[in-house]
Amino acid sequence: MDAQLVAFTLFAAGMVAMPGADFTVVVRNSLASRRAGVASAIGVAAGLLVHTALAVAGVAAVLAAVPALFRALQLVGAAYVLYLAHRALRSAARPRGTAQDVLTARAGGLREGFLTNALNPKASITFLSVLPQFVPAGSPAMPRTLLLASIVVALALLWFPVVALLVDRLGRWLRRPRTARAIEAVTGVALGALGLVLLVEPVLA
């Protein structure tokens, strides 16, 4: 048994399951419909594919070496997360459940999941800093790195759809107007806090 591979899989599972912007977006869209939630989950996994490609291509190393570029991308990501927070808070302040809301969520779920993940440059840096530690000495780096990155994407494809389906399963209670608006408000505050952290961090660095 490859002990390093097992260790990395456990580490990656914890990293993927850790609540953050990806998790919040999937939950929010799952409240609109199961399709929207699953679409968001697939979008998150697609975003991870972008970071995988960047890490393998060495672009992540460029981001790490050029702080100004990294911070610029971080600001773009922060702005998008704050935009999602604004949408959630606006939705919490008005009646829910219209057909247009559901159609909008279905159409935007994949896009939101993808952009929320892809616009986070920290993910690329994480891939760059973590993956090499699980490449055995003397082994070809490229095949092993691709395998490790594939494990992360596969875990995301398992975890986030499960979250979406679970939220949808609890939908009857979660979609009650008062409960749904409360969840939208909490989601908006959580995304807003994440966006502000991303926004302020480059300034303080």
Short mmCIF file of all heavy atoms in Angstrom, two decimals, residues 74-84 195 198-199:
data_model
loop_
_atom_site.label_atom_id
_atom_site.label_comp_id
_atom_site.label_asym_id
_atom_site.label_seq_id
_atom_site.Cartn_x
_atom_site.Cartn_y
_atom_site.Cartn_z
N GLN A 74 -6.25 38.05 -6.23
CA GLN A 74 -6.96 37.92 -4.96
C GLN A 74 -8.04 38.99 -4.83
O GLN A 74 -9.14 38.71 -4.33
CB GLN A 74 -5.95 38.04 -3.81
CG GLN A 74 -6.50 37.53 -2.47
CD GLN A 74 -5.41 37.46 -1.43
OE1 GLN A 74 -4.33 38.02 -1.59
NE2 GLN A 74 -5.67 36.77 -0.34
N LEU A 75 -7.75 40.19 -5.29
CA LEU A 75 -8.75 41.26 -5.24
C LEU A 75 -9.93 40.97 -6.16
O LEU A 75 -11.08 41.24 -5.82
CB LEU A 75 -8.09 42.60 -5.62
CG LEU A 75 -7.13 43.19 -4.58
CD1 LEU A 75 -6.42 44.41 -5.15
CD2 LEU A 75 -7.89 43.57 -3.31
N VAL A 76 -9.64 40.40 -7.34
CA VAL A 76 -10.71 40.02 -8.25
C VAL A 76 -11.60 38.95 -7.61
O VAL A 76 -12.83 39.02 -7.65
CB VAL A 76 -10.14 39.50 -9.59
CG1 VAL A 76 -11.25 38.92 -10.46
CG2 VAL A 76 -9.43 40.63 -10.33
N GLY A 77 -10.97 37.98 -6.98
CA GLY A 77 -11.73 36.94 -6.29
C GLY A 77 -12.55 37.49 -5.16
O GLY A 77 -13.71 37.11 -4.96
N ALA A 78 -11.97 38.42 -4.40
CA ALA A 78 -12.69 39.04 -3.29
C ALA A 78 -13.91 39.81 -3.79
O ALA A 78 -14.99 39.75 -3.20
CB ALA A 78 -11.76 39.98 -2.52
N ALA A 79 -13.72 40.52 -4.89
CA ALA A 79 -14.83 41.30 -5.46
C ALA A 79 -15.98 40.39 -5.88
O ALA A 79 -17.16 40.70 -5.66
CB ALA A 79 -14.34 42.12 -6.65
N TYR A 80 -15.64 39.23 -6.45
CA TYR A 80 -16.70 38.31 -6.88
C TYR A 80 -17.43 37.70 -5.69
O TYR A 80 -18.66 37.58 -5.70
CB TYR A 80 -16.11 37.20 -7.75
CG TYR A 80 -17.19 36.30 -8.31
CD1 TYR A 80 -18.05 36.76 -9.30
CD2 TYR A 80 -17.37 35.01 -7.82
CE1 TYR A 80 -19.06 35.94 -9.80
CE2 TYR A 80 -18.37 34.19 -8.32
CZ TYR A 80 -19.22 34.67 -9.31
OH TYR A 80 -20.23 33.87 -9.79
N VAL A 81 -16.70 37.33 -4.65
CA VAL A 81 -17.33 36.78 -3.45
C VAL A 81 -18.24 37.83 -2.80
O VAL A 81 -19.34 37.52 -2.34
CB VAL A 81 -16.27 36.28 -2.45
CG1 VAL A 81 -16.92 35.89 -1.12
CG2 VAL A 81 -15.52 35.08 -3.03
N LEU A 82 -17.80 39.08 -2.77
CA LEU A 82 -18.63 40.16 -2.22
C LEU A 82 -19.88 40.37 -3.08
O LEU A 82 -20.96 40.68 -2.55
CB LEU A 82 -17.82 41.45 -2.12
CG LEU A 82 -16.75 41.47 -1.02
CD1 LEU A 82 -15.90 42.73 -1.13
CD2 LEU A 82 -17.40 41.39 0.36
N TYR A 83 -19.75 40.20 -4.37
CA TYR A 83 -20.92 40.29 -5.26
C TYR A 83 -21.94 39.20 -4.91
O TYR A 83 -23.15 39.45 -4.84
CB TYR A 83 -20.47 40.17 -6.71
CG TYR A 83 -21.56 39.84 -7.69
CD1 TYR A 83 -22.52 40.80 -8.05
CD2 TYR A 83 -21.65 38.56 -8.25
CE1 TYR A 83 -23.54 40.48 -8.94
CE2 TYR A 83 -22.66 38.25 -9.14
CZ TYR A 83 -23.60 39.21 -9.48
OH TYR A 83 -24.61 38.89 -10.36
N LEU A 84 -21.46 37.98 -4.69
CA LEU A 84 -22.35 36.89 -4.30
C LEU A 84 -22.99 37.18 -2.94
O LEU A 84 -24.17 36.87 -2.72
CB LEU A 84 -21.58 35.57 -4.23
CG LEU A 84 -21.04 35.04 -5.56
CD1 LEU A 84 -20.29 33.72 -5.32
CD2 LEU A 84 -22.17 34.82 -6.56
N GLY A 195 -15.23 37.53 1.73
CA GLY A 195 -14.80 38.51 0.74
C GLY A 195 -13.98 39.62 1.35
O GLY A 195 -12.97 40.05 0.77
N LEU A 198 -10.46 38.38 2.09
CA LEU A 198 -9.68 38.37 0.86
C LEU A 198 -9.32 39.78 0.40
O LEU A 198 -8.24 40.02 -0.15
CB LEU A 198 -10.44 37.66 -0.26
CG LEU A 198 -10.65 36.14 -0.09
CD1 LEU A 198 -11.59 35.63 -1.17
CD2 LEU A 198 -9.32 35.43 -0.16
N LEU A 199 -10.23 40.72 0.65
CA LEU A 199 -10.02 42.09 0.20
C LEU A 199 -8.98 42.80 1.06
O LEU A 199 -8.12 43.54 0.55
CB LEU A 199 -11.34 42.86 0.26
CG LEU A 199 -11.39 44.23 -0.40
CD1 LEU A 199 -11.19 44.11 -1.90
CD2 LEU A 199 -12.72 44.92 -0.10
#
